[in-house]
Amino acid sequence: MNNNPLVSVIIPVYNADKYLACTVESVLAQTYRNIEILLINDGSTDNSEKIIRDFASHDTRIISKTTMNQGPSKARLTGISLAKGEYVHFLDSDDLMVPDAIERSVARAVETDADIVIPKFWFQWLNGTRTESFGTSSPVMEGKAYLRDALMGKGYWCVWVLTRRSLYSAITDKATDISFGEDAIWKTQLLLSANKVAGIDVPL
């Protein structure tokens, strides 16, 4: 496979002006440079649109799209429709990446030919503390094996991980009618289609 694949970072945005600048800056600061950043403004009514325009005017890797409010699944689907990368990495508009997150994830994908790369995460709580997630139960595993872990409470449903873009064609239930738990519906279908899932044993 390509050792320097384009990665499409897709960030759905809805009324996120308190956090959005920090989120985007954490992506722009990535040591891995072959990225595009798709900011999908899902009908925000705060200052998110202005923040998006400001970033887009300063970096050609940023692609912006504004839609009426349709919910997270449709916003992500809009991002996928615009993405050109071999891999997709979703990020929520209040999340942060460590500087080498994409570099480590791509290196792992290239090393293992994985369809999905799942690192550990930090969960930041409102009281100022943070907790480290558990990782994958095996360094490399089948998608169905990770799905089994998730069903047993030892894996995560989130889609903010590096995923081969072609896998999204396997999603038939796009969960566009709900705004909570939609990532679990997506992740189940992705894992059933993934031949190989690789873990990274540090939070990214």
Side-chain angles (χ1 to χ4, degrees):
M1 65 174 288
N2 181 4
N3 288 347
N4 188 45
L6 177 65
V7 175
S8 300
V9 181
I10 300 174
I11 306 175
V13 179
Y14 180 68
N15 290 349
D17 60 1
K18 292 182 180 179
Y19 313 103
L20 182 58
C22 290
T23 296
V24 176
E25 286 167 357
S26 79
V27 183
L28 291 173
Q30 289 298 300
T31 55
Y32 189 85
R33 306 304 294 171
N34 192 21
I35 62 174
E36 60 177 7
I37 305 168
L38 296 103
L39 299 174
I40 311 302
N41 181 13
D42 188 34
S44 297
T45 58
D46 62 359
N47 289 320
S48 294
E49 177 67 18
K50 180 182 184 302
I51 295 169
I52 290 170
R53 286 199 307 267
D54 287 347
F55 275 111
S57 69
H58 289 94
D59 197 309
T60 57
R61 294 175 298 168
I62 294 178
I63 301 162
S64 64
K65 176 76 172 179
T66 297
T67 67
M68 61 184 290
N69 180 242
Q70 302 178 91
S73 282
K74 285 191 176 180
R76 290 181 179 124
L77 289 169
T78 298
I80 290 172
S81 72
L82 298 171
K84 297 181 175 65
E86 181 178 347
Y87 284 90
V88 166
H89 196 306
F90 284 111
L91 202 63
D92 286 347
S93 54
D94 59 351
D95 291 333
L96 301 175
M97 288 180 162
V98 301
D100 62 349
I102 296 179
E103 182 178 2
R104 280 177 175 258
S105 296
V106 169
R108 190 78 173 118
V110 170
E111 174 192 3
T112 63
D113 195 27
D115 297 309
I116 301 175
V117 176
I118 301 177
K120 287 184 174 180
F121 309 100
W122 286 116
F123 292 99
Q124 182 74 43
W125 305 108
L126 293 177
N127 64 7
T129 62
R130 66 179 185 177
T131 55
E132 181 177 325
S133 75
F134 41 68
T136 55
S137 59
S138 178
V140 180
M141 57 201 309
E142 292 183 349
K144 291 179 182 178
Y146 187 83
L147 176 59
R148 180 183 177 89
D149 282 354
L151 289 168
M152 296 175 64
K154 300 176 182 177
Y156 293 105
W157 298 111
C158 60
V159 291
W160 14 274
V161 295
L162 191 77
T163 304
R164 202 182 300 274
R165 180 164 60 97
S166 59
L167 255 64
Y168 283 95
S169 62
I171 292 181
T172 55
D173 184 349
K174 296 178 173 61
T176 55
D177 58 332
I178 60 175
S179 58
F180 184 79
E182 80 290 339
D183 49 351
I185 295 174
W186 280 38
K187 190 67 166 285
T188 298
Q189 296 170 88
L190 292 169
L191 289 169
L192 288 172
S193 300
N195 290 321
K196 194 178 294 183
V197 171
I200 297 179
D201 199 33
V202 293
L204 299 183

